[in-house]
């Protein structure tokens, strides 16, 4: 009987996504695995999102709506409110402008049941949309490896898993999250990554990686946090890669070439995010150049730029920027980034 099967809690932080929210909720209530609780957290959204949530709750008893004051930019406080309310054995996070395949919960349930896993990671569809939300094309992102990994999987496969920051392409065992009091930190960007790093720092004993894509991640919605200027990053840009380095140190693996190489890569990713942030900023080219040159004075950043190979970067654009950084051509990097932001 489905009612005797473990409950899965699906947590959705909701804010200013009125045009997309119904699609998200519909994809959850139509899951083939029915023993789910759907926690919609209205983060003080000023549009009709709260009303939409309440209307769906009247139609489906599995839906719980939490209305709260806005916790600031980013979904951290909303996700944490959902975690505090969750009763399920497993936790799945879904962003409100995204959606999931009908069999997502079923596939994930049988996977964690068979492996007794603490975490399952799975593939995704990247749905590229225009400013009106119309789908232009979809790309499939299969996981680079797959299988059941036991013992110390995150230490052993650190090179593949350490920077898999997204919260939405994973399902977690709630008891593990509660055992270590894991919650999302109050960052506007990178809160997913900080949560995931805090999770794997505790060395979970079983990880499952599925190639199968189950989640539709919608890209290029105008006004999203990742496409906005964040002045706070000018003062604190490397908090995510610092957390990765701290984890490697806590594990006693700072002398491991593989772990150092991956942590260096994470530092470069933070640097690229900082450069992208400059491209969204009102700062002059001289001010942007001063920030970048200052960042490159950081010994950890300087070492990462020198030691990270170009082929480690996923896009041609990032490979070009890393090459320019190796040559210390800061203004060229910024001009390239500015041109990309406008194109």
């Amino acid at each position: 009987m489905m009612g005797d099967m473990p409950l899965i809690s699906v947590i959705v932080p909701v804010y200013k996504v009125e045009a997309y929210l119904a699609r998200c909720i519909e994809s959850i209530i139509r899951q083939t695995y029915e023993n789910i609780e759907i926690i919609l957290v209205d983060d003080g959204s000023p549009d009709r999102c709260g009303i939409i949530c309440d209307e769906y709750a009247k139609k489906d008893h599995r839906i719980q709506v939490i209305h709260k004051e806005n916790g600031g930019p980013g979904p951290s406080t909303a996700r944490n409110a959902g975690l505090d309310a969750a009763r399920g054995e497993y936790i799945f996070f879904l962003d409100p402008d995204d959606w999931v395949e009908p069999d997502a919960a079923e596939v994930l349930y049988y996977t964690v049941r068979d492996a007794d896993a603490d975490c399952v990671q799975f593939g995704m569809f990247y749905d590229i949309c225009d400013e009106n939300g119309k789908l232009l094309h979809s790309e499939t992102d299969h996981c680079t490896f797959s299988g059941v990994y036991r013992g110390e999987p995150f230490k052993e496969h650190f090179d593949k898993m350490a920077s898999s920051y997204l919260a939405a392409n994973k399902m977690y065992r709630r008891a593990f999250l509660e055992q270590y009091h894991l919650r999302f930190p109050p960052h506007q960007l990178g809160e997913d990554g900080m949560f995931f790093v805090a999770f794997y720092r505790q060395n979970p004993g079983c990880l499952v990686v599925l190639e199968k894509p189950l989640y539709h991640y919608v890209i290029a919605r105008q006004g999203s946090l990742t496409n906005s200027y964040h002045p706070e990053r000018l003062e604190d840009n490397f908090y995510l890669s610092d957390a990765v380095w701290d984890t490697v140190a806590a594990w006693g693996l700072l002398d491991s070439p593989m772990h150092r190489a991956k942590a260096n890569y994470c530092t470069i990713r933070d640097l690229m995010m900082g450069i992208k942030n400059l491209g969204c900023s009102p700062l002059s080219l001289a001010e942007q150049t001063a920030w970048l040159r200052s960042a490159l004075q950081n010994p950890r950043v300087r070492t990462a730029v020198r030691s990270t190979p170009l082929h480690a970067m996923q896009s041609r654009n990032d490979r070009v920027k890393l090459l320019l950084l190796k040559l210390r051509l800061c203004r060229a990097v910024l001009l390239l980034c500015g041109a990309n932001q406008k194109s």
Side-chain angles (χ1 to χ4, degrees), residues 32-228:
T32 56
Y33 184 94
E34 297 179 351
N35 196 28
I36 58 177
E37 66 170 357
I38 305 163
I39 304 175
L40 306 176
V41 186
D42 169 23
D43 197 17
S45 188
D47 55 9
R48 296 187 66 256
C49 281
I51 297 172
I52 294 171
C53 290
D54 290 337
E55 289 175 348
Y56 270 100
K58 294 175 183 177
K59 301 175 185 177
D60 195 317
H61 70 277
R62 299 174 299 173
I63 295 178
Q64 174 186 355
V65 181
I66 299 173
H67 297 283
K68 60 182 287 294
E69 292 185 2
N70 181 255
S76 288
T77 62
R79 284 177 176 158
N80 290 341
L83 278 170
D84 291 342
R87 299 176 295 112
E89 188 171 338
Y90 303 104
I91 300 290
F92 176 65
F93 298 102
L94 176 58
D95 287 341
D97 47 355
D98 299 336
W99 57 284
V100 286
E101 289 289 300
D103 63 342
E106 183 175 0
V107 169
L108 292 172
Y109 162 66
Y110 285 110
T111 299
V112 295
R113 184 200 67 175
D114 294 345
D116 193 26
D118 296 307
C119 177
V120 181
Q121 177 170 310
F122 45 89
M124 306 178 73
F125 297 100
Y126 290 102
D127 291 348
I128 315 300
C129 299
D130 64 16
E131 63 274 9
N132 298 315
K134 180 182 178 182
L135 179 66
L136 300 175
H137 66 277
S138 185
E139 301 173 359
T140 303
D141 179 23
H142 297 284
C143 294
T144 56
F145 70 122
S146 62
V148 179
Y149 303 93
R150 302 185 188 279
E152 296 183 323
F154 286 94
K155 289 183 182 180
E156 184 177 349
H157 300 284
F158 188 76
D159 55 336
K160 300 181 182 71
M161 291 299 300
S163 60
S164 181
Y165 293 146
L166 284 177
N169 66 338
K170 302 172 185 72
M171 189 165 79
Y172 297 93
R173 190 198 304 272
R174 186 167 71 91
F176 191 95
L177 302 183
E178 295 306 314
Q179 179 181 353
Y180 296 101
H181 311 290
L182 296 176
R183 292 295 187 270
F184 289 85
H187 290 288
Q188 293 188 31
L189 289 176
E191 77 290 337
D192 288 34
M194 294 294 286
F195 179 85
F196 185 53
V197 174
F199 170 78
Y200 68 65
R201 178 171 177 157
Q202 302 304 327
N203 210 19
C206 182
L207 163 71
V208 179
V209 182
L210 299 176
E211 288 188 20
K212 182 179 176 67
L214 299 170
Y215 189 104
H216 288 260
Y217 185 85
V218 179
I219 296 176
R221 184 171 63 84
Q222 294 298 309
S224 68
L225 285 170
T226 53
N227 293 318
S228 304

